[in-house]
Amino acid sequence: SDHIGKRHVQLILTEMVISQVLLSIIIISFERAKIKAETDLHIKYEKRLEARRMSSVRELIGNVSHEINNPLAIIQASVLRLERTNLPEGSLEFLELVTNIEDAVKRVCSVRDGLGLFAVGNKEDKLEATDACTLFTRVLHQEKRYKHRTDLVFSDRSDGHRVLCRTQQIGSAI
């Protein structure tokens, strides 16, 4: 009976060890599946984020292209008109075409300067650490066209993270 008791205890211990091993395998399998799901979710999130960024970049490029193409069309049309006609240099029409060209060049230069400011910012402006919500609120209230919009509210999902930026640089982007 003592031998049967030891054998019975060994069987119970063996079953417990096997149960623990199986349970460990199941837990490890679930953990691996969880990690894979989290990784897949993160990859999908990054792809969606990249798609939104690219969409924004495409929209920005389209707007910049439009802002450059309009003045260039004015310059091209004015130069063509000057070439095809023998307008006297002091005539009203001649001066009007030259003014159109000068105004269009100023517009293109303004776009160029704005892109430069957006890209690197004014080196004289100091870098500030700020959260996105405060930054956008401050920049929009500096802009004349948004000063009266006290109803604009931004949600801040940055979890307290701060970015280094030059306020004017971000303002020119908005």
Side-chain angles (χ1 to χ4, degrees), residues 91-138:
S91 73
L92 188 60
E93 189 176 355
F94 179 86
L95 294 174
E96 187 179 308
L97 289 172
V98 170
T99 300
N100 287 346
I101 292 171
E102 289 171 346
D103 289 345
V105 167
K106 286 177 187 173
R107 280 181 62 191
V108 171
C109 289
S110 175
V111 170
R112 179 205 58 211
D113 295 345
L115 288 173
L117 182 63
F118 174 70
V120 295
N122 184 349
K123 298 293 186 194
E124 295 171 10
D125 289 344
K126 66 178 183 162
L127 287 171
E128 298 178 40
T130 186
D131 61 282
C133 185
T134 301
L135 176 69
F136 282 115
T137 303
R138 216 168 78 207

Short mmCIF file of all heavy atoms in Angstrom, two decimals, residues 91-138:
data_model
loop_
_atom_site.label_atom_id
_atom_site.label_comp_id
_atom_site.label_asym_id
_atom_site.label_seq_id
_atom_site.Cartn_x
_atom_site.Cartn_y
_atom_site.Cartn_z
N SER A 91 4.44 103.91 -72.91
CA SER A 91 2.97 103.86 -73.04
C SER A 91 2.33 103.21 -71.81
O SER A 91 2.96 102.45 -71.08
CB SER A 91 2.57 103.08 -74.30
OG SER A 91 2.80 101.70 -74.12
N LEU A 92 1.06 103.55 -71.61
CA LEU A 92 0.32 103.05 -70.46
C LEU A 92 0.23 101.52 -70.48
O LEU A 92 0.43 100.86 -69.46
CB LEU A 92 -1.09 103.67 -70.45
CG LEU A 92 -1.93 103.41 -69.22
CD1 LEU A 92 -1.24 103.94 -67.97
CD2 LEU A 92 -3.29 104.05 -69.36
N GLU A 93 -0.03 100.94 -71.65
CA GLU A 93 -0.14 99.49 -71.77
C GLU A 93 1.21 98.82 -71.47
O GLU A 93 1.27 97.79 -70.79
CB GLU A 93 -0.63 99.09 -73.16
CG GLU A 93 -0.98 97.61 -73.26
CD GLU A 93 -1.56 97.23 -74.62
OE1 GLU A 93 -1.80 98.11 -75.47
OE2 GLU A 93 -1.77 96.02 -74.81
N PHE A 94 2.29 99.39 -71.98
CA PHE A 94 3.63 98.86 -71.72
C PHE A 94 3.92 98.88 -70.22
O PHE A 94 4.36 97.88 -69.65
CB PHE A 94 4.69 99.69 -72.49
CG PHE A 94 6.10 99.21 -72.26
CD1 PHE A 94 6.63 98.20 -73.04
CD2 PHE A 94 6.89 99.77 -71.26
CE1 PHE A 94 7.93 97.76 -72.84
CE2 PHE A 94 8.18 99.33 -71.04
CZ PHE A 94 8.71 98.32 -71.84
N LEU A 95 3.66 100.01 -69.58
CA LEU A 95 3.92 100.13 -68.14
C LEU A 95 3.04 99.18 -67.33
O LEU A 95 3.47 98.64 -66.31
CB LEU A 95 3.71 101.58 -67.69
CG LEU A 95 4.71 102.60 -68.27
CD1 LEU A 95 4.31 104.02 -67.87
CD2 LEU A 95 6.12 102.28 -67.85
N GLU A 96 1.81 98.97 -67.78
CA GLU A 96 0.91 98.04 -67.10
C GLU A 96 1.44 96.62 -67.18
O GLU A 96 1.42 95.87 -66.18
CB GLU A 96 -0.49 98.11 -67.74
CG GLU A 96 -1.53 97.30 -67.00
CD GLU A 96 -2.90 97.44 -67.66
OE1 GLU A 96 -3.36 98.58 -67.88
OE2 GLU A 96 -3.50 96.39 -67.95
N LEU A 97 1.95 96.22 -68.33
CA LEU A 97 2.52 94.87 -68.49
C LEU A 97 3.76 94.69 -67.61
O LEU A 97 3.95 93.65 -66.98
CB LEU A 97 2.85 94.59 -69.96
CG LEU A 97 1.63 94.40 -70.88
CD1 LEU A 97 2.07 94.33 -72.33
CD2 LEU A 97 0.86 93.15 -70.50
N VAL A 98 4.60 95.71 -67.59
CA VAL A 98 5.80 95.65 -66.74
C VAL A 98 5.40 95.56 -65.27
O VAL A 98 5.99 94.78 -64.50
CB VAL A 98 6.72 96.88 -67.00
CG1 VAL A 98 7.83 96.96 -65.96
CG2 VAL A 98 7.30 96.82 -68.41
N THR A 99 4.39 96.31 -64.86
CA THR A 99 3.90 96.25 -63.47
C THR A 99 3.36 94.86 -63.17
O THR A 99 3.60 94.32 -62.08
CB THR A 99 2.81 97.32 -63.24
OG1 THR A 99 3.37 98.60 -63.50
CG2 THR A 99 2.28 97.26 -61.82
N ASN A 100 2.63 94.25 -64.11
CA ASN A 100 2.12 92.89 -63.93
C ASN A 100 3.27 91.91 -63.70
O ASN A 100 3.19 91.03 -62.84
CB ASN A 100 1.30 92.44 -65.14
CG ASN A 100 -0.05 93.12 -65.21
OD1 ASN A 100 -0.50 93.73 -64.26
ND2 ASN A 100 -0.69 93.02 -66.37
N ILE A 101 4.33 92.07 -64.49
CA ILE A 101 5.50 91.19 -64.36
C ILE A 101 6.14 91.39 -62.99
O ILE A 101 6.44 90.42 -62.28
CB ILE A 101 6.52 91.45 -65.49
CG1 ILE A 101 5.94 90.99 -66.84
CG2 ILE A 101 7.84 90.74 -65.20
CD1 ILE A 101 6.77 91.40 -68.04
N GLU A 102 6.33 92.63 -62.59
CA GLU A 102 6.94 92.91 -61.29
C GLU A 102 6.10 92.36 -60.13
O GLU A 102 6.63 91.77 -59.19
CB GLU A 102 7.16 94.42 -61.12
CG GLU A 102 8.25 94.98 -62.01
CD GLU A 102 8.30 96.51 -61.99
OE1 GLU A 102 7.33 97.16 -61.51
OE2 GLU A 102 9.31 97.05 -62.48
N ASP A 103 4.78 92.53 -60.21
CA ASP A 103 3.89 92.01 -59.16
C ASP A 103 3.95 90.48 -59.09
O ASP A 103 3.98 89.89 -58.00
CB ASP A 103 2.44 92.45 -59.39
CG ASP A 103 2.23 93.94 -59.15
OD1 ASP A 103 3.12 94.58 -58.52
OD2 ASP A 103 1.19 94.46 -59.59
N ALA A 104 3.99 89.86 -60.27
CA ALA A 104 4.06 88.40 -60.31
C ALA A 104 5.38 87.91 -59.75
O ALA A 104 5.42 86.90 -59.01
CB ALA A 104 3.87 87.90 -61.75
N VAL A 105 6.47 88.59 -60.05
CA VAL A 105 7.77 88.21 -59.50
C VAL A 105 7.75 88.33 -57.98
O VAL A 105 8.26 87.46 -57.26
CB VAL A 105 8.90 89.07 -60.12
CG1 VAL A 105 10.20 88.91 -59.34
CG2 VAL A 105 9.10 88.70 -61.58
N LYS A 106 7.12 89.39 -57.47
CA LYS A 106 7.02 89.57 -56.01
C LYS A 106 6.22 88.41 -55.38
O LYS A 106 6.56 87.93 -54.30
CB LYS A 106 6.36 90.90 -55.68
CG LYS A 106 7.26 92.10 -55.91
CD LYS A 106 6.53 93.39 -55.62
CE LYS A 106 7.38 94.59 -56.01
NZ LYS A 106 6.64 95.86 -55.92
N ARG A 107 5.16 87.97 -56.06
CA ARG A 107 4.37 86.85 -55.54
C ARG A 107 5.19 85.57 -55.47
O ARG A 107 5.15 84.83 -54.49
CB ARG A 107 3.13 86.62 -56.39
CG ARG A 107 2.00 87.59 -56.08
CD ARG A 107 0.77 87.34 -56.91
NE ARG A 107 0.19 86.02 -56.69
CZ ARG A 107 -0.76 85.51 -57.46
NH1 ARG A 107 -1.23 86.20 -58.48
NH2 ARG A 107 -1.26 84.33 -57.20
N VAL A 108 5.96 85.32 -56.54
CA VAL A 108 6.80 84.11 -56.56
C VAL A 108 7.86 84.21 -55.46
O VAL A 108 8.12 83.24 -54.74
CB VAL A 108 7.45 83.90 -57.94
CG1 VAL A 108 8.49 82.79 -57.89
CG2 VAL A 108 6.40 83.57 -58.99
N CYS A 109 8.45 85.39 -55.30
CA CYS A 109 9.46 85.58 -54.24
C CYS A 109 8.83 85.40 -52.86
O CYS A 109 9.46 84.84 -51.96
CB CYS A 109 10.10 86.97 -54.37
SG CYS A 109 11.19 87.11 -55.78
N SER A 110 7.60 85.85 -52.70
CA SER A 110 6.92 85.69 -51.42
C SER A 110 6.70 84.21 -51.11
O SER A 110 6.89 83.77 -49.97
CB SER A 110 5.58 86.43 -51.47
OG SER A 110 4.85 86.21 -50.30
N VAL A 111 6.30 83.45 -52.13
CA VAL A 111 6.13 82.01 -51.95
C VAL A 111 7.47 81.37 -51.59
O VAL A 111 7.57 80.57 -50.65
CB VAL A 111 5.53 81.34 -53.21
CG1 VAL A 111 5.58 79.83 -53.11
CG2 VAL A 111 4.11 81.81 -53.44
N ARG A 112 8.52 81.73 -52.32
CA ARG A 112 9.86 81.20 -52.05
C ARG A 112 10.29 81.53 -50.61
O ARG A 112 10.77 80.66 -49.88
CB ARG A 112 10.87 81.79 -53.04
CG ARG A 112 12.30 81.30 -52.81
CD ARG A 112 13.36 82.23 -53.32
NE ARG A 112 13.22 83.54 -52.69
CZ ARG A 112 13.55 84.68 -53.28
NH1 ARG A 112 14.01 84.70 -54.51
NH2 ARG A 112 13.40 85.82 -52.64
N ASP A 113 10.10 82.78 -50.20
CA ASP A 113 10.50 83.19 -48.84
C ASP A 113 9.68 82.46 -47.78
O ASP A 113 10.21 82.05 -46.75
CB ASP A 113 10.34 84.70 -48.67
CG ASP A 113 11.29 85.49 -49.57
OD1 ASP A 113 12.26 84.88 -50.09
OD2 ASP A 113 11.06 86.69 -49.74
N GLY A 114 8.39 82.29 -48.05
CA GLY A 114 7.54 81.56 -47.11
C GLY A 114 7.98 80.11 -46.97
O GLY A 114 8.00 79.56 -45.86
N LEU A 115 8.36 79.48 -48.08
CA LEU A 115 8.84 78.10 -48.02
C LEU A 115 10.16 78.02 -47.25
O LEU A 115 10.37 77.10 -46.47
CB LEU A 115 9.04 77.53 -49.43
CG LEU A 115 7.75 77.23 -50.20
CD1 LEU A 115 8.08 76.85 -51.64
CD2 LEU A 115 6.96 76.13 -49.52
N GLY A 116 11.02 79.01 -47.47
CA GLY A 116 12.28 79.04 -46.73
C GLY A 116 12.06 79.21 -45.25
O GLY A 116 12.68 78.54 -44.41
N LEU A 117 11.14 80.10 -44.88
CA LEU A 117 10.83 80.32 -43.47
C LEU A 117 10.23 79.07 -42.85
O LEU A 117 10.56 78.68 -41.74
CB LEU A 117 9.87 81.51 -43.31
CG LEU A 117 9.49 81.88 -41.89
CD1 LEU A 117 10.73 82.31 -41.11
CD2 LEU A 117 8.45 82.98 -41.89
N PHE A 118 9.35 78.42 -43.61
CA PHE A 118 8.74 77.19 -43.11
C PHE A 118 9.79 76.10 -42.92
O PHE A 118 9.78 75.37 -41.94
CB PHE A 118 7.66 76.70 -44.08
CG PHE A 118 7.09 75.37 -43.69
CD1 PHE A 118 6.27 75.24 -42.59
CD2 PHE A 118 7.37 74.25 -44.44
CE1 PHE A 118 5.75 74.01 -42.22
CE2 PHE A 118 6.85 73.02 -44.09
CZ PHE A 118 6.04 72.90 -42.98
N ALA A 119 10.74 76.01 -43.87
CA ALA A 119 11.73 74.93 -43.82
C ALA A 119 12.71 75.10 -42.67
O ALA A 119 13.01 74.13 -41.97
CB ALA A 119 12.48 74.86 -45.14
N VAL A 120 13.22 76.28 -42.46
CA VAL A 120 14.27 76.44 -41.45
C VAL A 120 13.92 77.44 -40.36
O VAL A 120 14.57 77.48 -39.33
CB VAL A 120 15.61 76.87 -42.08
CG1 VAL A 120 16.15 75.80 -42.99
CG2 VAL A 120 15.49 78.18 -42.82
N GLY A 121 12.90 78.25 -40.58
CA GLY A 121 12.54 79.24 -39.59
C GLY A 121 13.52 80.40 -39.57
O GLY A 121 14.55 80.38 -40.24
N ASN A 122 13.18 81.41 -38.83
CA ASN A 122 14.05 82.56 -38.67
C ASN A 122 15.08 82.20 -37.62
O ASN A 122 14.74 81.95 -36.47
CB ASN A 122 13.24 83.79 -38.25
CG ASN A 122 14.08 85.03 -38.16
OD1 ASN A 122 15.30 84.98 -38.20
ND2 ASN A 122 13.41 86.17 -38.02
N LYS A 123 16.34 82.15 -38.01
CA LYS A 123 17.40 81.71 -37.09
C LYS A 123 17.50 82.62 -35.86
O LYS A 123 18.04 82.23 -34.85
CB LYS A 123 18.75 81.68 -37.81
CG LYS A 123 18.79 80.71 -38.96
CD LYS A 123 18.70 79.30 -38.47
CE LYS A 123 18.88 78.36 -39.65
NZ LYS A 123 18.52 77.03 -39.42
N GLU A 124 16.98 83.84 -35.95
CA GLU A 124 17.05 84.77 -34.81
C GLU A 124 15.98 84.46 -33.76
O GLU A 124 16.11 84.83 -32.60
CB GLU A 124 16.92 86.21 -35.30
CG GLU A 124 18.09 86.63 -36.17
CD GLU A 124 17.87 87.98 -36.82
OE1 GLU A 124 16.91 88.68 -36.47
OE2 GLU A 124 18.68 88.32 -37.70
N ASP A 125 14.88 83.80 -34.18
CA ASP A 125 13.85 83.42 -33.22
C ASP A 125 14.37 82.27 -32.36
O ASP A 125 14.97 81.33 -32.87
CB ASP A 125 12.58 82.95 -33.94
CG ASP A 125 11.83 84.07 -34.63
OD1 ASP A 125 12.12 85.23 -34.30
OD2 ASP A 125 10.98 83.77 -35.48
N LYS A 126 14.11 82.36 -31.06
CA LYS A 126 14.60 81.31 -30.18
C LYS A 126 13.69 80.09 -30.26
O LYS A 126 12.49 80.20 -30.53
CB LYS A 126 14.71 81.80 -28.76
CG LYS A 126 13.39 82.14 -28.10
CD LYS A 126 13.58 82.59 -26.68
CE LYS A 126 12.19 82.83 -26.10
NZ LYS A 126 12.15 82.87 -24.69
N LEU A 127 14.28 78.93 -30.02
CA LEU A 127 13.52 77.70 -29.96
C LEU A 127 12.82 77.63 -28.61
O LEU A 127 13.39 77.98 -27.58
CB LEU A 127 14.43 76.49 -30.12
CG LEU A 127 14.98 76.24 -31.51
CD1 LEU A 127 16.03 75.15 -31.48
CD2 LEU A 127 13.87 75.87 -32.47
N GLU A 128 11.55 77.19 -28.64
CA GLU A 128 10.78 77.07 -27.41
C GLU A 128 10.25 75.65 -27.30
O GLU A 128 9.86 75.06 -28.29
CB GLU A 128 9.59 78.03 -27.44
CG GLU A 128 9.94 79.48 -27.53
CD GLU A 128 8.69 80.35 -27.61
OE1 GLU A 128 7.71 80.05 -26.90
OE2 GLU A 128 8.70 81.30 -28.39
N ALA A 129 10.23 75.15 -26.09
CA ALA A 129 9.60 73.85 -25.84
C ALA A 129 8.15 74.12 -25.48
O ALA A 129 7.87 74.84 -24.53
CB ALA A 129 10.30 73.12 -24.71
N THR A 130 7.24 73.56 -26.27
CA THR A 130 5.83 73.81 -26.02
C THR A 130 5.01 72.60 -26.43
O THR A 130 5.45 71.78 -27.22
CB THR A 130 5.36 75.08 -26.78
OG1 THR A 130 4.03 75.37 -26.41
CG2 THR A 130 5.45 74.90 -28.27
N ASP A 131 3.81 72.51 -25.88
CA ASP A 131 2.91 71.43 -26.29
C ASP A 131 2.11 71.91 -27.49
O ASP A 131 1.97 73.10 -27.74
CB ASP A 131 1.98 71.03 -25.14
CG ASP A 131 1.10 72.18 -24.71
OD1 ASP A 131 1.60 73.07 -24.00
OD2 ASP A 131 -0.08 72.18 -25.10
N ALA A 132 1.61 70.97 -28.27
CA ALA A 132 0.93 71.29 -29.52
C ALA A 132 -0.30 72.17 -29.32
O ALA A 132 -0.52 73.12 -30.07
CB ALA A 132 0.53 70.00 -30.24
N CYS A 133 -1.09 71.90 -28.31
CA CYS A 133 -2.31 72.66 -28.07
C CYS A 133 -1.99 74.14 -27.82
O CYS A 133 -2.58 75.02 -28.43
CB CYS A 133 -3.06 72.06 -26.89
SG CYS A 133 -4.67 72.82 -26.59
N THR A 134 -1.04 74.41 -26.94
CA THR A 134 -0.65 75.78 -26.64
C THR A 134 -0.08 76.45 -27.88
O THR A 134 -0.38 77.61 -28.17
CB THR A 134 0.40 75.80 -25.50
OG1 THR A 134 -0.17 75.18 -24.36
CG2 THR A 134 0.83 77.21 -25.17
N LEU A 135 0.74 75.71 -28.62
CA LEU A 135 1.36 76.26 -29.83
C LEU A 135 0.30 76.71 -30.83
O LEU A 135 0.32 77.84 -31.30
CB LEU A 135 2.28 75.22 -30.45
CG LEU A 135 2.92 75.63 -31.77
CD1 LEU A 135 3.93 76.73 -31.54
CD2 LEU A 135 3.58 74.44 -32.42
N PHE A 136 -0.63 75.82 -31.16
CA PHE A 136 -1.64 76.17 -32.15
C PHE A 136 -2.53 77.31 -31.67
O PHE A 136 -2.87 78.20 -32.43
CB PHE A 136 -2.49 74.95 -32.52
CG PHE A 136 -1.80 74.02 -33.47
CD1 PHE A 136 -1.46 72.74 -33.07
CD2 PHE A 136 -1.46 74.44 -34.74
CE1 PHE A 136 -0.80 71.88 -33.94
CE2 PHE A 136 -0.81 73.58 -35.61
CZ PHE A 136 -0.48 72.31 -35.22
N THR A 137 -2.90 77.27 -30.41
CA THR A 137 -3.73 78.34 -29.87
C THR A 137 -3.01 79.68 -29.98
O THR A 137 -3.57 80.67 -30.45
CB THR A 137 -4.11 78.05 -28.40
OG1 THR A 137 -4.77 76.78 -28.36
CG2 THR A 137 -5.01 79.12 -27.85
N ARG A 138 -1.74 79.71 -29.58
CA ARG A 138 -0.97 80.95 -29.61
C ARG A 138 -0.79 81.46 -31.04
O ARG A 138 -0.97 82.65 -31.32
CB ARG A 138 0.40 80.70 -28.97
CG ARG A 138 0.89 81.88 -28.19
CD ARG A 138 2.08 81.53 -27.34
NE ARG A 138 3.26 81.46 -28.15
CZ ARG A 138 4.32 80.72 -27.88
NH1 ARG A 138 4.33 79.98 -26.81
NH2 ARG A 138 5.35 80.73 -28.66
#
